[in-house]
Amino acid sequence: MYGPEFAADPAAVYRRLRAAGPTGPVELAPGVRATLVTGYDAALHVLRSPETFSKDPRRWRDLADGTVPVDSPVVPMMMYRPNALFTDGEEHRRLRGAITDSLALVEPNTLRGYVERSADTLVDRFAAAGRADLLGAYAQVLPLLVFNHLFGCPAELGTRLVEGMSGIFDGVDAEKANALLTSTLLDLVALKRSRPGHDVTSWMMAHPARLTDEEMIHSLVLLMGAGTEPEQNLIANSLRLLLSDDRFAGSLSGGSLPVEDALDEVLWADPPMANYAVHFPVRDVMYEGAVLRAGDPLVISLAAANTDPALRAGRRAANRAHLAWSAGPHNCPAQSPARLIAAVAVEKLLDRLPDVELAVRPEELVWRPGPFHRALASLPVVFPPAPVTRPGTDGAGEAGAGRAPGAGFGPMPHARPAPAPAAPAPGHAPVTGAPRGTWARLRAWWRGE
């Protein structure tokens, strides 16, 4: 599941596995074996049975005995961290409560306004060029602006966070990337301990759960991981669908923007995290004739479960029974903000560039290899050059200039504002020979190159 063949057509792999039953053996990376759950009912059974299937990776036998080396590219995505994703029971409820209660302080209207201003800033950078890579110039960058805003991350830490998280998702020197991400978040936590602000990081620190610095770091890893890579994939995959599928293209030309329908379709057919929600049986379990061994990783194929032929076919628009957000006690706690960010990002792009078209045939688009995500390598588009509407704005727009990230989300008396992330000069169009790859493109963007 880690090569270009799988990335090009994962549905073919799911069909082959499904022919033998709702679970099947896979290799996530060289020498890393797991069981992939491809059936919808089987996925729900695992996700909703925490007494039988644990989220704690310390049960992973092959990692504990050295069969899987610690420098394997998938280990940072699967290893134990003291956060809500990798714990069970009361500990999970305590850690999750700090996240859900803090996210509840984010006001949707404030979030929408910030996404709109950030989107305008980004579109202004390439609007006059008549062409762009909507992945590198838009979908990848917008969630980072939002993340820095919500979590009060100063600009000087931004490049380090981008490099660390991108390295983990891409599996390129993942051990080094994990170390960089941890050290950078340690700096952020130390900053917020001394200078709390109007942001989710500070609210989590003040929560009755009394998170330790280590728990804070790993909770931020969880939030950043969920808020960047999957979010950019949801934005990019939705734009791809709207620009390539006649069902949606016809509506676009008629003046209707079926963005919510497109999001539903993507969450069903191409969820941004296609395979994840790793569980470990606490004992040997027999399921549908297959033995699921204690301590062997069970990876839920959210994409395969959503497309299980056993589900009744029908209209997916407004149908939210998909598993893109997972299910059970570990379902995504930020579904509403994540969907809002993606919807506003797509709406704003299509509003600013209504005649945008793919620069290549849909079948020529390339998907990034990797066992977990469903991610485009690029999304090249062309469009009639458009005017720059917001000259001289920064990442917060005119109304947000000089404001602390997260300002207006809720009461935080005596808070000192953290620096807002700086955006490069508007109108900077993509150039031939610009750095390629997730980290290279984002690093160039942060540096204003």
Side-chain angles (χ1 to χ4, degrees):
M1 293 176 61
Y2 51 86
E5 295 82 5
F6 174 75
D9 190 8
V13 175
Y14 304 149
R15 285 194 297 271
R16 289 199 299 272
L17 289 170
R18 200 183 283 119
T23 65
V26 295
E27 192 175 52
L28 301 175
V32 182
R33 60 187 184 85
T35 296
L36 193 69
V37 180
T38 57
Y40 185 89
D41 289 342
L44 281 179
H45 176 68
V46 173
L47 294 169
R48 293 175 174 174
S49 304
E51 70 284 352
T52 305
F53 302 101
S54 169
K55 288 287 291 177
D56 191 338
R58 290 173 293 187
R59 296 178 179 272
W60 189 3
R61 291 187 306 168
D62 284 356
L63 183 63
D65 66 17
T67 300
V68 172
V70 293
D71 62 352
S72 172
V74 297
V75 166
M77 286 285 288
M78 298 175 63
M79 64 183 284
Y80 172 75
R81 300 178 191 269
N83 65 30
L85 185 61
F86 299 114
T87 50
D88 301 309
E90 185 56 39
E91 186 69 354
H92 166 252
R93 286 186 287 273
R94 180 180 73 88
L95 295 169
R96 182 182 171 96
I99 292 173
T100 55
D101 292 347
S102 298
L103 289 175
L105 295 175
V106 178
E107 296 175 0
N109 287 339
T110 303
L111 178 59
R112 171 180 288 273
Y114 187 76
V115 176
E116 288 177 343
R117 292 190 295 271
S118 299
D120 273 326
T121 297
L122 295 176
V123 173
D124 281 344
R125 287 169 43 82
F126 54 77
R131 62 190 309 109
D133 172 9
L134 291 185
L135 184 70
Y138 190 72
Q140 285 179 335
V141 185
L142 190 144
L144 291 166
L145 291 178
V146 175
F147 174 85
N148 281 358
H149 180 74
L150 293 180
F151 297 97
C153 177
E156 59 266 26
L157 298 181
T159 53
R160 290 162 56 190
L161 289 177
V162 171
E163 181 176 7
M165 188 56 66
S166 298
I168 286 176
F169 273 100
D170 282 344
V172 178
D173 205 349
E175 189 175 18
K176 178 182 176 182
N178 185 57
L180 176 63
L181 182 65
T182 301
S183 66
T184 305
L185 289 173
L186 182 61
D187 290 343
L188 176 60
V189 168
L191 173 66
K192 292 299 173 178
R193 291 285 188 201
S194 62
R195 295 171 52 192
H198 293 277
D199 52 66
V200 172
T201 308
S202 300
W203 296 334
M204 287 172 61
M205 286 180 174
H207 192 271
R210 301 179 63 85
L211 302 185
T212 66
D213 282 0
E214 183 184 21
E215 290 170 340
M216 277 297 307
I217 289 168
H218 292 294
S219 294
L220 289 170
V221 169
L222 171 59
L223 286 169
M224 187 177 181
T228 52
E229 171 82 12
E231 189 71 32
Q232 77 179 36
N233 294 340
L234 181 55
I235 294 169
N237 294 356
S238 298
L239 286 169
R240 179 198 68 85
L241 184 67
L242 285 162
L243 297 176
S244 64
D245 192 309
D246 288 342
R247 293 174 298 167
F248 299 97
S251 298
L252 286 173
S253 63
S256 172
L257 298 181
V259 171
E260 293 292 341
D261 288 0
L263 288 177
D264 287 330
E265 180 69 17
V266 166
L267 290 168
W268 274 102
D270 271 324
M273 291 301 291
N275 306 290
Y276 201 44
V278 184
H279 288 70
F280 300 87
V282 300
R283 58 183 179 276
D284 288 358
V285 176
M286 179 71 73
Y287 185 83
E288 297 287 331
V291 178
L292 308 176
R293 299 290 183 188
D296 285 353
L298 275 175
V299 178
I300 306 299
S301 180
L302 308 171
N306 284 349
T307 55
D308 187 342
L311 295 176
R312 285 192 298 176
R315 180 172 169 80
R316 290 171 175 166
N319 184 339
R320 308 287 164 81
H322 58 73
L323 299 182
W325 308 117
S326 191
H330 285 271
N331 69 334
C332 175
Q335 298 176 32
S336 294
R339 188 177 179 106
L340 185 151
I341 292 168
V344 174
V346 173
E347 288 168 356
K348 176 58 73 169
L349 187 283
L350 295 175
D351 179 60
R352 288 289 305 274
L353 305 174
D355 297 317
V356 63
E357 297 179 351
L358 287 178
V360 298
R361 294 192 302 272
E363 59 271 19
E364 294 179 283
L365 293 171
V366 177
W367 299 90
R368 277 169 41 213
F372 304 120
H373 55 219
R374 182 61 169 159
L376 287 165
S378 65
L379 186 59
V381 296
V382 293
F383 47 87
V388 174
T389 61
R390 290 174 169 249
T393 59
D394 64 11
E398 298 98 324
R403 244 183 3 180
F409 286 164
M412 181 62 68
H414 312 300
R416 297 178 61 186
H428 181 76
V431 295
T432 303
R436 296 170 181 260
T438 302
W439 158 234
R441 286 198 299 265
L442 292 174
R443 178 174 57 186
W445 191 94
W446 277 101
R447 291 178 175 177
E449 296 171 356

